[in-house]
Amino acid sequence: SAIREYPRLGVSPGTPASSALHGSSATRISCTKQMSTKRFSYDDCELLKVLHAEFAAAGFDLVTAFPAGAYNEHEKIAGRPELLVPAKESSTLAVLKYLVERVLAQVALGEEADVVYAYETLENHGRCCSVKTVGHVSGLAWFDAEHTQISVHPTFGPWFAYRAVITFPNRTWTKGLPGNWEGPLKLCPCSQKELQRVAAVQASVMAKWETVSERESWDGLIRVSETFTQGAEHKYCPQQMLYHYTPESAKRLEILNECTA
């Protein structure tokens, strides 16, 4: 089956930072609190340090900052305005896990933040972001566009999931921000031989996709991830495995509720 290409976040260069994403309004959060007059005024470095700490406390395992322009100018994104990040040179966070709005409301009072979630699609939301490209250009993970279309993290291998991209349209990227962004990883964390081995398993699974049950197909996707040796020690626990490899959204919600009960 063909691998679909996802559009970009946002607007073309020269468009005001407050412009909507192509086809739909961005999820814009004014980070204020009910019944609170307290306002923080952080410079860029301070804001990112606080956000990193608060996201970590909220269970966001991986957070990285990078200039939105690095994503907008990527060869897979350039020329596709429906995928652009809202502000070309704004500071952006690629975030994994949940509770984005709560953290922003607690920490970034008075800030404007545009949030695009990894689950958003053009069909259902009128916009989306190529989160794997974001992860790649930010240096968070290596996107294997040639063999598998899978993102590989230097530590966790394939065992992680993108959650959201946050853009601060009123802030511009400055050098010396936390994390010392240096662009994409220079090398894939695993060898070409391993990628080819994973791709062979993936091709076998996809070849049977229409002829076996949905459960068998999704179990095949588990085998694809398990073929990686990179990050094998960080393989999902049984509850995580069940959540990430269950196709029905209602069932996934049940799983989450059971895990948090």
Side-chain angles (χ1 to χ4, degrees), residues 4 19 28 33 68 91 104 123 131 208:
R4 64 162 291 180
S19 295
R28 170 151 299 202
K33 273 187 176 180
S91 299
L104 289 175
E123 294 83 357
V131 291
K208 301 174 183 176

Side-chain angles (χ1 to χ4, degrees), residues 24-241:
S24 172
S25 296
T27 301
R28 170 151 299 202
I29 298 172
S30 179
C31 298
T32 59
K33 273 187 176 180
Q34 293 283 343
M35 307 299 291
S36 174
T37 58
K38 186 177 181 180
R39 293 292 181 271
F40 295 104
S41 180
Y42 296 117
D43 64 25
D44 292 341
C45 287
E46 290 171 334
L47 176 63
L48 290 180
K49 286 179 180 178
V50 172
L51 284 173
H52 275 240
E54 291 300 320
F55 276 128
F60 290 77
D61 299 312
L62 301 171
V63 179
T64 187
F66 67 99
Y71 168 81
N72 288 344
E73 295 162 6
H74 189 270
E75 61 179 344
K76 300 292 185 182
I77 304 304
R80 302 186 64 186
E82 75 275 23
L83 283 174
L84 286 168
V85 172
K88 186 173 183 295
E89 293 300 335
S90 61
S91 299
T92 304
L93 296 175
V95 182
L96 294 86
K97 296 203 186 283
Y98 277 117
L99 308 177
V100 173
E101 288 93 343
R102 192 183 75 176
V103 171
L104 289 175
Q106 290 175 336
V107 175
L109 295 177
E111 291 283 344
E112 290 290 340
D114 290 307
V115 183
V116 176
Y117 292 94
Y119 62 77
E120 293 187 63
T121 65
L122 284 177
E123 294 83 357
N124 294 328
H125 303 89
R127 63 172 187 160
C128 67
C129 168
S130 176
V131 291
K132 293 181 180 180
T133 302
V134 168
H136 188 84
V137 300
S138 71
L140 180 65
W142 180 275
F143 177 34
D144 175 38
E146 180 181 356
H147 298 98
T148 64
Q149 298 286 309
I150 293 173
S151 289
V152 186
H153 188 271
T155 300
F156 301 105
W159 302 107
F160 73 102
Y162 295 109
R163 290 304 179 210
V165 176
I166 305 170
T167 303
F168 296 100
N170 295 329
R171 291 179 180 261
T172 56
W173 181 266
T174 56
K175 292 182 178 180
L177 290 178
N180 298 316
W181 179 78
E182 297 180 353
L185 299 175
K186 300 298 185 287
L187 295 171
C188 179
C190 52
S191 68
Q192 289 294 305
K193 187 174 182 179
E194 179 165 339
L195 291 176
Q196 291 168 358
R197 184 170 65 251
V198 173
V201 175
Q202 185 182 62
S204 175
V205 170
M206 300 310 295
K208 301 174 183 176
W209 195 269
E210 301 295 335
T211 61
V212 298
S213 69
E214 187 173 52
R215 183 64 265 166
E216 288 178 276
S217 294
W218 282 72
D219 286 343
L221 296 181
I222 295 176
R223 291 199 304 276
V224 173
S225 293
E226 289 177 333
T227 304
F228 281 96
T229 59
Q230 185 71 30
E233 65 274 27
H234 297 287
K235 177 181 172 180
Y236 291 154
C237 69
Q239 293 91 339
Q240 288 175 307
M241 196 74 78

